[in-house]
């Protein structure tokens, strides 16, 4: 049984650890702080529908991930007793301006080409299925996406941590990777304040922080943090039953009456604070769509740092100059969704199998100057985003 060291315990690292351990690997995860408390905890947990008929690797990865989420929910619930809240709540996509309506129409035709069910909604049908939605300024267009799902991130991360422990994964919080010792084309040692750790394989999954670590391996990753703020409102009883999307903003209703309002995209470096401007914009958006939310309790707000890449695609692959180093990072607004598929394809790669999704477009040196540009388009972000 060979050992794999996963550096970074967000949803991507923990999912890879869970999958590798399920394949019989001995796995250790180190995290600079508490695992599962960064972007992965902060996310809204939207799992947008993905097309089963697509030749685009990012779309294939999303479709694989969606299939796996339904299975992992059951496995994790049965094995750990923790229900991560996975459910098919469906989503409504709204447009209040002509420009937004045109963008929605394009989105609907992309969805149709991908065999994703998206139906136009009349004002009357909208009122019937979501009576609390009364868009200020009127409605230009609306669509219904019945297969959109959601999970509750903190519960999913808790389930993953327990599932990992049950599979024998050792998780070390407060253990940042600070440097690497490289010999004969391999990472021989990962240097941490707790000591020098060695493993047969090292997989770096440090989200928005991955650029600095990759530089220590002689690799340039074009990855940076983009802050997303969220507000949590609560009502004594649910006022919404579907996820409501408008442009890059959304309302995510939970069955207990809570509603997540997200999210901003702030290019402010590694700053996780919430701002009055961010909260004000999100409240304006929420009350402009669902006036009844004005009576809700403002429970809390938070922010997380999405790992954004310049071309909108994650880095998934082996570090070309090293035999035993892998990277899975840069999932931006889709990391919760893509985590299950990422875990499976990275485990296949690490185990020397051919990954079931072609990973060449995600290769980690694709943006370096002496590497040819990737061929695949990045049209995936057509449906909702976290
Ligand atoms: C507001 C918001 C809403 C979102 N909504 C959605 C959504 O609805 N659906 C969706 O699919 N996605 C959503 N996302 C995106 C998703 O959360 C991210 O893409 C995903 O969490 C990235 O996971 P990760 O494991 O790569 O990174 P992270 O969760 O950030 O984990 C990285 C880990 O690495 C650790 N680390 C950093 N440096 C080191 C080091 N040197 N050594 C060891 N450990 C280190 C950190 O402590 C952290 O635990 C949202 C994100 C935000 C912020």
């Amino acid at each position: 049984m060979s050992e794999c060291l996963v550096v970074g315990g967000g949803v991507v690292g923990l999912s890879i650890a869970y999958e590798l351990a399920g394949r019989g690997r001995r796995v250790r995860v180190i995290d600079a702080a508490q695992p599962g408390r960064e972007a992965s905890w902060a996310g809204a947990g939207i799992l947008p529908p993905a097309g089963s008929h697509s030749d685009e690797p990012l779309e294939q990865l999303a479709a694989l991930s969606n299939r796996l989420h339904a299975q992992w929910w059951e496995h994790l619930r049965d094995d750990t007793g923790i229900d991560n809240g996975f459910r098919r709540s469906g989503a409504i996509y709204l447009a209040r301006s002509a420009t937004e309506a045109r963008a929605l129409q394009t989105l609907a035709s992309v969805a149709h080409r991908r065999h994703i069910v998206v139906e136009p909604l009349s004002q009357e049908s909208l009122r019937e299925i979501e009576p609390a939605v009364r868009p200020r300024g009127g409605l230009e267009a609306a669509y219904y996406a019945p297969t959109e799902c959601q999970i509750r991130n903190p519960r999913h991360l808790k389930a993953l941590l327990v599932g990992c422990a049950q599979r024998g994964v050792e998780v070390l919080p407060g253990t940042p990777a600070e440097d690497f010792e490289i010999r004969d084309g391999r990472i021989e040692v990962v240097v941490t304040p707790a000591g020098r750790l060695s493993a047969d394989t090292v997989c770096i999954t440090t989200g928005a922080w991955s650029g600095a670590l990759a530089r220590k391996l002689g690799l340039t990753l074009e990855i940076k943090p983009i802050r997303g703020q969220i507000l949590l409102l609560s009502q004594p009883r649910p006022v919404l039953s579907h996820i409501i999307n408008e442009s890059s903003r959304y309302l995510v209703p939970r069955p207990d009456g809570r509603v997540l309002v997200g999210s901003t995209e702030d290019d402010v470096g590694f700053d996780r604070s919430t701002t009055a401007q961010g909260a004000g914009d999100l409240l304006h958006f929420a009350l402009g769509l669902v006036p009844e939310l004005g009576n809700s309790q403002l429970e809390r707000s938070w922010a997380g740092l999405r790992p954004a890449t310049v071309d909108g695609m994650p880095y998934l692959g082996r570090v070309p100059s090293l035999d035993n180093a892998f990277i899975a990072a840069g999932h931006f607004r889709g990391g919760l969704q893509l985590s299950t598929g990422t875990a499976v394809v990275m485990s296949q790669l690490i185990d020397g199998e051919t990954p079931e999704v072609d990973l060449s477009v995600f290769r980690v040196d694709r943006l370096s100057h002496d590497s040819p540009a990737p061929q695949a388009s990045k049209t995936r972000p057509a449906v909702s985003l976290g």
Side-chain angles (χ1 to χ4, degrees), residues 6-15 29-48 69 149-151 153 157 172 174-180 190-192 204-210 212-213 216 223 226-231 243 250 252 254 260-264 270 272 302-308 328-339 384-386:
V6 176
V7 179
V11 72
V12 172
L14 291 175
S15 301
V29 179
I30 60 171
D31 196 281
Q34 280 301 319
R37 295 295 301 181
E38 291 290 350
S40 302
W41 184 91
I46 302 170
L47 310 176
H69 271 293
C149 296
Q150 57 169 283
I151 54 173
N153 306 16
L157 291 157
L172 303 178
T175 310
E178 292 178 337
D179 209 348
F180 303 100
V190 177
V191 180
T192 79
I204 295 169
T205 54
T206 44
W209 292 266
S210 302
L213 274 188
K216 292 181 188 288
I223 195 164
I226 293 291
R227 183 176 69 190
Q229 301 184 45
I230 285 199
L231 298 181
I243 298 167
Y250 47 77
V252 184
R254 307 297 197 202
L260 263 73
V261 187
S263 177
T264 62
F270 288 93
R272 241 191 267 96
W302 64 79
L305 302 174
R306 305 181 186 95
H331 295 73
F332 192 39
R333 296 188 74 139
L336 249 302
Q337 176 181 36
L338 299 174
S339 57
S384 118
L385 300 159

Side-chain angles (χ1 to χ4, degrees), residues 17 72 77 114 118 151 156 195 209 236 311:
W72 283 35
R77 190 193 52 197
R114 291 173 173 167
V118 176
I151 54 173
H156 182 58
W209 292 266
D311 63 357

Side-chain angles (χ1 to χ4, degrees), residues 49-55 59-60 62-64 67 111 113-116:
S52 48
H53 297 75
S54 173
D55 52 10
E59 188 69 10
Q60 292 170 354
L64 170 66
R67 285 199 300 279
R113 277 204 301 279
R114 291 173 173 167
H115 298 222
I116 297 170

Side-chain angles (χ1 to χ4, degrees), residues 70-191:
Q71 295 167 15
W72 283 35
W73 165 56
E74 286 186 3
H75 292 163
L76 286 168
R77 190 193 52 197
D78 294 348
D79 292 350
T80 69
I82 300 168
D83 182 342
N84 70 14
F86 172 84
R87 67 192 181 100
R88 186 172 141 163
S89 54
I92 293 168
Y93 287 76
L94 301 174
R96 281 184 280 180
S97 71
T99 317
E100 275 182 6
R102 274 194 300 278
L104 258 192
Q105 209 169 16
T106 308
L107 186 148
S109 23
V110 172
H112 285 143
R113 277 204 301 279
R114 291 173 173 167
H115 298 222
I116 297 170
V117 182
V118 176
E119 299 153 4
L121 262 188
S122 66
Q123 296 249 19
E124 294 68 38
S125 319
L126 173 63
R127 213 167 297 131
E128 250 168 54
I129 66 171
E130 229 20 307
V133 175
R134 286 189 277 125
R136 186 191 296 145
L139 188 69
E140 280 285 333
Y143 289 87
Y144 177 46
T147 58
E148 189 150 311
C149 296
Q150 57 169 283
I151 54 173
R152 298 181 79 153
N153 306 16
R155 294 182 189 182
H156 182 58
L157 291 157
K158 208 166 152 190
L160 277 176
L161 276 166
V162 175
C164 277
Q166 287 174 342
R167 291 183 173 186
V169 176
E170 184 188 8
V171 179
L172 303 178
T175 310
E178 292 178 337
D179 209 348
F180 303 100
E181 289 175 15
I182 293 165
R183 186 162 308 145
D184 298 332
R186 298 173 64 79
I187 295 182
E188 197 162 85
V189 168
V190 177
V191 180

